[in-house]
Amino acid sequence: MKLYEKLADEIEQAVRRGVFAPGERIASVRHASQQHGVSIKTVLHAYALLESRGVVETRPQSGYFVREAAPAQAASKQAPVLTVASEVDVSRLVLSTLRSIRANDAVPLGSPYPDPTLFPWRRINQYANAIARRHASWNLIDDLPPGNPELIRQIARRYAENGVPVDPDEIIITVGATEAINLSLQAVAKPGDTVAVESPTYYAMLHAIERLGMRAIEVPTHPADGIDLDVLAQIVATQPIAACMVMPNFQNPLGFQMPDAKKRQLVALLAAHEIPVIENDVYHELYFGETRPSTLKNFDTKGLVLHCASFSKSLTASYRIGWAMPGRYRAQVEKLKFLNTLTTPSVPQVAVADYLRQDGYDRHLRQVRKAYRQQARIMSAMVQRFFPAGTRVSSPQGGYVLWVELPPRVDSMQLYQAALAHGITIGPGYMFSTKNDFRHFIRLNYSYPWTSQTEGALRTLGELAGKMT
Amino acid sequence: MKLYEKLADEIEQAVRRGVFAPGERIASVRHASQQHGVSIKTVLHAYALLESRGVVETRPQSGYFVREAAPAQAASKQAPVLTVASEVDVSRLVLSTLRSIRANDAVPLGSPYPDPTLFPWRRINQYANAIARRHASWNLIDDLPPGNPELIRQIARRYAENGVPVDPDEIIITVGATEAINLSLQAVAKPGDTVAVESPTYYAMLHAIERLGMRAIEVPTHPADGIDLDVLAQIVATQPIAACMVMPNFQNPLGFQMPDAKKRQLVALLAAHEIPVIENDVYHELYFGETRPSTLKNFDTKGLVLHCASFSKSLTASYRIGWAMPGRYRAQVEKLKFLNTLTTPSVPQVAVADYLRQDGYDRHLRQVRKAYRQQARIMSAMVQRFFPAGTRVSSPQGGYVLWVELPPRVDSMQLYQAALAHGITIGPGYMFSTKNDFRHFIRLNYSYPWTSQTEGALRTLGELAGKMT
């Protein structure tokens, strides 16, 4: 056990025993360093670890505070995958990582978002402006869920063109895929229920589970073809699972595309147990292959697939337009949408619809896909060149992130802190699981055009990782 | 008991006994009419009542279906206010009412939203367009919660100018007040908890409670000055209450402004029991008096007031910009915002900020307030003129709705259906409570300029109500 882990455990124990009350400030980094006779760096690592465990939180310009509602007990660290479901608190780590990315001007290798300069920002805004000018006013009541009919029609059309069977009446417009995922999960499961997720998984999945007071059971997921169906079959056969959440296409962070045969098997396995599956398909337009991949919806015969997607990765992130196609749960999701945020802003919906109908979405996507494919190759080569021996890199089949396995002795939180001192951000493996299975993994974003600055950042990262082995 | 109520009870019993399975279609209106030997109208009323009770739901072009998750038991109808908390399902009735309003072109007396033609739509869109043109792209990561710093500063400035003590760091931008209320409630209470609400109350409050699986206890609320503090004191003294939700200014539907002394008492009463209070203050700019009213925040010494508001009633509804000032629950609400919808769309935030800084918000508000004050007077006079003897009307001190108590024999759902046949919508009293206390009340929207069409609609409504007495 490392020194900073020991310190973190010690403080966590104190919190559990009530030495520090919820909301109370714990010792400053400097003070703790003197008090415990350890380095500033060790304290920083310990506090970051405590934050990731949900024990403390940072407040800007104020320091570290005990969380108001500290979890009843720490997430089990060595729990066997098959038997123990974890309560989830990954969000604090994610939020603090995102803040670091915002505060640092350098190459945002740790960002979960695509390079926004690739989006046709001006074009979409021109449509928005034209719509706003055409109307003397806008009546909110015309925009009640499910959403703008023309946008819904355009989305259904794209699916139909790609062989995904879609009834436009099934589509509900949401504030990004985040809301779609939240509503879908709430429609099918209740607090205390257990939800099966991929491991590693995109943290938005863990967030939804956490927000709704559910429990996650993590299923090993292979970098090449996705969730382990044997393990999943064992889980659903032996315990009640309220829902399963997966990203079959270009999963973040692994980047795989689940083969059609496996998609069919997954849907059949869950359907046999009447378990609804929430499919997060936000990267579906960012494929590197010849054709757009299939979705779980293609193989859904019982209406158990709740398909969630958005334009945030492929067209515009700041417009926050997502959608759900919730199968037999349509009525519930529509109602929850109404209760959650009433409506999705109107002009952005119509602007995207107009863009889809009139503009060059496919041309735009071809360019983006080509750029991402090239940049994936370059970054992968550079990681292999600069990083210490024993480093392994994923082979993404779409999307814009690379998953890097470092030698086991490298702790990704330590690397994250060290990189931050150089103005470089990374996505530490801790964000993608409630357990510590991915402590020596990092996620890198390759959506930004390759520059000498990127190369320098990767070289620095590789050196820092090398020192830790 | 009326015939349609008997029919509704009969069908509800059948559902409870499992005669109709969840998701199953019940008899068509025509078929039921023949089967039970009652009129089409009676069946329609019975089905509407069942829908409001959450037993069945309509699906477009398909008919009536038993809800997937029918409530375990019907809400107690004659329960004494003080002892029985109700599970809430008002949302289905509200959503179907809103749909009727949308489908009917006539005077939207039933609308919960203000006349959008009063909003400075073009001005705000011009700001939005200028912002979009100034930037070559937009990075989502700059818009993480709490929200756009300039908008937060402008909101804080307005509060400060009106004597409400506000720390800008406390403000979190949300997708309308709806999201602010949901997040605030989730931050302070958990599923199964009991929440005290005004009765009647704005249904968004009941929605939030319903969505989160909590229970509502309704506290009698006076049309002149708000929630009954004696009853509330008795409730909090005798049972655990996780939170209280109130609208102290121009409550929808009653329109009262709670006096400062009473606001102080309310805050003190709840603070003595450490009960957080969620203050929905969306109408704060629409006062008829000389000055903007105080808020519960003015009297909050312990950080227990979670203040929620928006621009949707006073500036722009379709931009969906709201905010929360959650006192000591700031960190929780910010995190929940991040989990719920990630961010609020950016350009709308900045456009509103620019409008507030550069344009004539106060001039706009003065015009709106003057119009509403006049229209309230006119509509009130017309209700007294056209409606049957025994009708009583509220005296709103702000906002844009009138609360009308009809003679007890008038059923507001029946009136709603009859009015709909004339293309007129109203807000039936059933929407404002989980109990049947307001069955002979209706809410009328007076935000639209007074026309001969409005006058005709009110005359028709009065005649229809007269026939029912």
Side-chain angles (χ1 to χ4, degrees), chain A residues 182 186 210-211 335 339, chain B residues 182 186 210-211 335 339:
Chain A
N182 276 307
Q186 188 171 3
E210 173 191 352
R211 191 182 79 92
K335 178 176 139 175
L339 301 189
Chain B
N182 276 308
Q186 188 170 2
E210 174 191 350
R211 192 182 78 93
K335 177 177 139 173
L339 301 190

Side-chain angles (χ1 to χ4, degrees), chain A residues 147-422:
Chain A
N148 180 268
E150 180 56 21
L151 176 60
I152 287 174
R153 212 179 64 75
Q154 291 298 327
I155 292 170
R157 190 184 53 75
R158 280 195 77 78
Y159 278 111
E161 285 171 6
N162 287 280
V164 183
V166 169
D167 176 358
D169 283 347
E170 193 185 329
I171 297 174
I172 295 158
I173 305 297
T174 57
V175 180
T178 305
E179 188 180 37
I181 292 165
N182 276 307
L183 303 181
S184 295
L185 186 58
Q186 188 171 3
V188 301
K190 53 182 195 313
D193 280 356
T194 301
V195 178
V197 288
E198 297 164 321
S199 187
T201 184
Y202 185 52
Y203 46 75
M205 308 293 224
L206 299 176
H207 287 172
I209 296 170
E210 173 191 352
R211 191 182 79 92
L212 295 165
M214 299 167 187
R215 294 160 65 76
I217 185 161
E218 301 192 14
V219 186
T221 299
H222 304 297
D225 67 355
I227 198 162
D228 188 316
L229 289 184
D230 294 334
V231 175
L232 183 63
Q234 230 179 306
I235 290 173
V236 299
T238 52
Q239 60 176 293
I241 296 295
C244 180
M245 301 178 89
V246 290
M247 287 183 89
N249 296 318
F250 325 124
Q251 193 237 31
N252 182 331
L254 296 177
F256 60 81
Q257 175 180 331
M258 189 184 281
D260 282 6
K262 190 163 174 181
K263 281 176 182 154
R264 183 180 283 113
Q265 282 171 33
L266 173 62
V267 172
L269 167 64
L270 295 170
H273 292 80
E274 291 283 326
I275 297 172
V277 52
I278 295 160
E279 174 179 37
N280 178 349
D281 203 24
V282 291
Y283 300 107
H284 61 289
E285 300 279 16
L286 302 179
Y287 52 91
F288 294 168
E290 290 301 309
T291 55
R292 198 156 84 146
S294 68
T295 72
L296 295 189
K297 265 297 195 214
N298 290 71
F299 308 105
D300 182 27
T301 54
K302 296 174 92 173
L304 282 168
V305 175
L306 298 94
H307 179 98
C308 303
S310 81
F311 291 110
S312 300
K313 313 300 184 201
S314 47
L315 183 58
T316 165
S318 55
Y319 272 44
R320 314 290 309 118
I321 304 290
W323 63 91
M325 299 198 296
R328 67 162 83 154
Y329 304 96
R330 188 203 170 282
Q332 289 96 310
V333 171
E334 185 188 38
K335 178 176 139 175
L336 287 169
K337 163 65 192 174
F338 176 63
L339 301 189
N340 193 43
T341 50
L342 195 58
T343 73
T344 305
S346 352
V347 171
Q349 290 189 59
V350 187
V352 169
D354 283 357
Y355 176 87
L356 292 177
R357 200 177 53 240
Q358 300 171 36
D359 221 299
Y361 189 35
D362 283 310
R363 194 175 57 242
H364 156 70
L365 286 171
R366 274 194 298 274
Q367 289 168 356
V368 171
R369 285 195 289 261
K370 192 175 159 202
Y372 286 177
R373 198 165 40 219
Q374 284 173 348
Q375 286 156 212
R377 222 161 18 213
I378 300 173
M379 191 177 280
S380 178
M382 292 296 156
V383 167
Q384 276 151 1
R385 179 166 150 204
F386 294 131
F387 278 51
T391 299
R392 303 192 324 164
V393 186
S394 64
S395 305
Q397 296 168 270
Y400 50 80
V401 300
L402 219 53
W403 185 238
V404 180
E405 180 178 4
L406 298 160
R409 291 190 49 198
V410 180
D411 183 289
S412 60
M413 273 310 294
Q414 235 172 326
L415 183 60
Y416 168 77
Q417 300 278 358
L420 214 50
H422 293 263

Side-chain angles (χ1 to χ4, degrees), chain A residues 57 59 61 67-69 88-89 91-92 94-95 98-99 101-102 111-114 116-119 121-122 125-126 128-129 131-147 169 175 178-179 182-183 186 191 203 207-208 210-213 312 317-320 328 330-332 334-336 338-348 448, chain B residues 57 59-61 67-69 89 91-92 94-95 98-99 101-102 111-114 116-119 121-122 125-126 129 131-147 169 175 178-179 182-183 186 191 203 207-208 210-213 312 317-320 328-332 334-336 338-348 448:
Chain A
E57 60 192 6
R59 297 189 194 159
Q61 268 104 47
R67 281 186 56 198
E68 287 290 337
V88 178
D89 193 346
S91 57
R92 277 163 204 277
V94 172
L95 201 46
L98 290 176
R99 292 226 168 89
I101 294 168
R102 181 167 55 177
S111 173
Y113 309 120
T117 63
L118 284 179
F119 290 144
W121 166 256
R122 289 188 190 279
N125 283 313
Q126 280 162 6
N129 186 38
I131 295 152
R133 273 191 289 108
R134 273 205 305 276
H135 296 264
S137 68
W138 197 280
N139 198 342
L140 190 69
I141 209 152
D142 295 330
D143 288 308
L144 292 175
D169 283 347
V175 180
T178 305
E179 188 180 37
N182 276 307
L183 303 181
Q186 188 171 3
Y203 46 75
H207 287 172
E210 173 191 352
R211 191 182 79 92
L212 295 165
S312 300
S318 55
Y319 272 44
R320 314 290 309 118
R328 67 162 83 154
R330 188 203 170 282
Q332 289 96 310
E334 185 188 38
K335 178 176 139 175
L336 287 169
F338 176 63
L339 301 189
N340 193 43
T341 50
L342 195 58
T343 73
T344 305
S346 352
V347 171
Y448 289 79
Chain B
E57 61 191 7
R59 298 189 193 158
Q61 269 105 46
R67 281 187 56 199
E68 287 291 337
D89 193 345
S91 57
R92 276 162 205 278
V94 172
L95 201 46
L98 291 177
R99 293 228 167 87
I101 294 169
R102 180 166 57 176
S111 173
Y113 309 118
T117 63
L118 285 180
F119 290 144
W121 166 256
R122 287 189 191 280
N125 282 313
Q126 279 162 6
N129 186 37
I131 294 153
R133 273 190 289 110
R134 273 205 304 277
H135 296 263
S137 68
W138 196 280
N139 198 341
L140 190 69
I141 209 152
D142 294 330
D143 288 309
L144 292 175
D169 283 348
V175 179
T178 305
E179 187 181 38
N182 276 308
L183 304 180
Q186 188 170 2
Y203 45 75
H207 288 170
E210 174 191 350
R211 192 182 78 93
L212 296 165
S312 299
S318 55
Y319 271 44
R320 314 290 308 117
R328 65 162 83 156
Y329 304 97
R330 189 205 169 281
Q332 289 96 313
E334 185 188 39
K335 177 177 139 173
L336 287 168
F338 176 65
L339 301 190
N340 194 42
T341 51
L342 196 56
T343 73
T344 304
S346 352
V347 171
Y448 289 80

Side-chain angles (χ1 to χ4, degrees), chain B residues 33-88:
Chain B
S33 149
Q34 291 164 351
Q35 198 183 339
H36 295 279
V38 297
S39 72
I40 295 274
K41 217 172 108 186
T42 301
V43 177
L44 276 172
H45 290 167
Y47 282 14
L49 185 58
L50 285 170
E51 197 172 9
S52 78
R53 289 185 190 164
V55 177
V56 303
E57 61 191 7
T58 52
R59 298 189 193 158
Q61 269 105 46
S62 308
Y64 291 83
F65 292 77
V66 176
R67 281 187 56 199
E68 287 291 337
Q73 58 178 135
S76 165
K77 273 161 223 146
Q78 300 302 331
V81 169
L82 276 175
T83 50
V84 176
S86 317
E87 289 183 42
V88 176

